[in-house]
Amino acid sequence: MKFGGGQIVMIAGPCVIEGEDFTLRHARKVAEVAQKHGVAAVFKSSFDKANRTSGKSFRGPGLAEGLRILARVKQEVGLPVLTDVHQPDQCAPAAEVVDVLQIPAFLCRQTDLLIAAGQTGRSVNVKKGQFLAPEDMKNVVDKLREAGCERILVTERGASFGYHDLVVDMRSLLAMRAFAPVCFDATHSVQRPGAQGNASGGDRALAPALARAAAAVGIDALFCEVHEDPDRALSDGPNSLTFPAWDALVGEVLKIRRALGA
């Protein structure tokens, strides 16, 4: 999977693995939408969500079972796969299965984690911390390159704005693109961290507008969490898109890119 160079890549899937059949079903839907629009796609889902608001929240099936399921996605659906890693010792086993290792925003400055991910030889996507200026991502990218990583993606996912809210500064896409290909995370950017007390809230209706704006600024990848029934999702439901909404958004983003190209 190549990020940058003119094409746009769609990264999509449910926040967390909710079961084997569930994950395969969602991966097939991602593949169908990507094929419909003739666009490259990466399937995203996490084997563990270690940064949930509450300790009682669903985290996922764990490393071994989650990687087994993601291996089936690659084999049976044929999409490249992306998943989160939270600890250095997860990187090597995850890299045996997935194509892209993702560093969560809260962990974007963890040097040992970045080095372990960078040394695997896989592509690494780092989400910019909600607390970080876009220019600060240069140091993150430098750590990965010093570890030998040659395929790096950096992702904008909103910046903390007071309590329980995020805002997106589209200038960050331009700033970070000076360091590496850039991705925009449309669904986490409309998240409201911790707003439901024991879980994060969000407003998925706002995600398409931000994605269209990011496409106009210029991005190499678009990240969206999608779920067949977001209101029943076990993680990030309030900001996840339905498949029809994501399908329509992919079409809109591609129209914007074609218009800019013309």
Side-chain angles (χ1 to χ4, degrees):
M1 175 56 59
K2 179 176 176 58
F3 296 103
Q7 72 167 347
I8 185 168
V9 178
M10 299 295 166
I11 302 172
C15 177
V16 66
I17 295 171
E18 297 185 21
E20 189 165 356
D21 291 342
F22 166 93
T23 303
L24 288 166
R25 187 167 65 249
H26 280 65
R28 291 188 181 103
K29 288 183 178 179
V30 169
E32 288 171 5
V33 172
Q35 185 176 28
K36 171 184 173 181
H37 292 281
V39 67
V42 175
F43 178 74
K44 179 268 171 184
S45 200
S46 298
F47 59 79
D48 181 25
K49 298 299 293 184
N51 55 354
R52 296 303 305 273
T53 302
S54 169
K56 297 179 180 179
S57 297
F58 179 76
R59 288 180 53 167
L63 179 66
E65 177 66 4
L67 292 178
R68 185 188 69 80
I69 292 171
L70 292 175
R72 279 198 67 189
V73 168
K74 287 188 64 173
Q75 180 179 7
E76 298 182 21
V77 183
L79 289 177
V81 174
L82 176 152
T83 198
D84 289 303
V85 287
H86 296 85
Q87 301 172 17
D89 61 5
Q90 294 176 338
C91 294
E96 293 179 4
V97 174
V98 306
D99 302 275
V100 186
L101 301 177
Q102 179 165 279
I103 309 299
F106 286 133
L107 302 178
C108 69
R109 290 179 58 176
Q110 296 296 106
T111 301
D112 290 345
L113 179 59
L114 290 167
I115 291 173
Q119 290 176 338
T120 64
R122 292 296 192 183
S123 299
V124 178
N125 178 34
V126 186
K127 291 195 172 184
K128 178 178 72 65
Q130 302 91 325
F131 48 86
L132 221 59
E135 293 80 7
D136 296 337
M137 286 295 284
K138 181 181 184 301
N139 294 319
V140 173
V141 171
D142 286 346
K143 289 178 184 179
L144 287 170
R145 290 198 171 123
E146 289 165 5
C149 186
E150 299 179 354
R151 293 173 292 181
I152 302 168
L153 185 68
V154 291
T155 296
E156 169 61 49
R157 51 117 337 134
S160 294
F161 184 73
Y163 299 119
H164 303 311
D165 209 356
L166 301 170
V167 295
V168 176
D169 181 355
M170 293 294 172
R171 296 175 299 176
S172 68
L173 299 172
L174 299 175
M176 293 194 296
R177 210 174 195 184
F179 316 134
V182 68
C183 174
F184 179 63
D185 182 344
T187 49
H188 284 99
S189 291
V190 298
Q191 192 179 54
R192 299 195 68 219
Q196 295 182 353
N198 62 353
S200 291
D203 187 351
R204 69 178 72 98
L206 299 175
L210 292 180
R212 292 192 295 268
V217 172
I219 51 176
D220 301 289
L222 177 66
F223 182 110
C224 294
E225 287 189 335
V226 291
H227 195 285
E228 61 189 7
D229 188 356
D231 290 335
R232 295 187 179 183
L234 299 182
S235 179
D236 279 358
N239 51 273
S240 295
L241 299 178
T242 63
F243 274 96
W246 181 61
D247 184 354
L249 178 58
V250 170
E252 292 169 352
V253 165
L254 293 176
K255 287 180 181 178
I256 291 170
R257 287 182 64 88
R258 285 194 293 268
L260 290 173

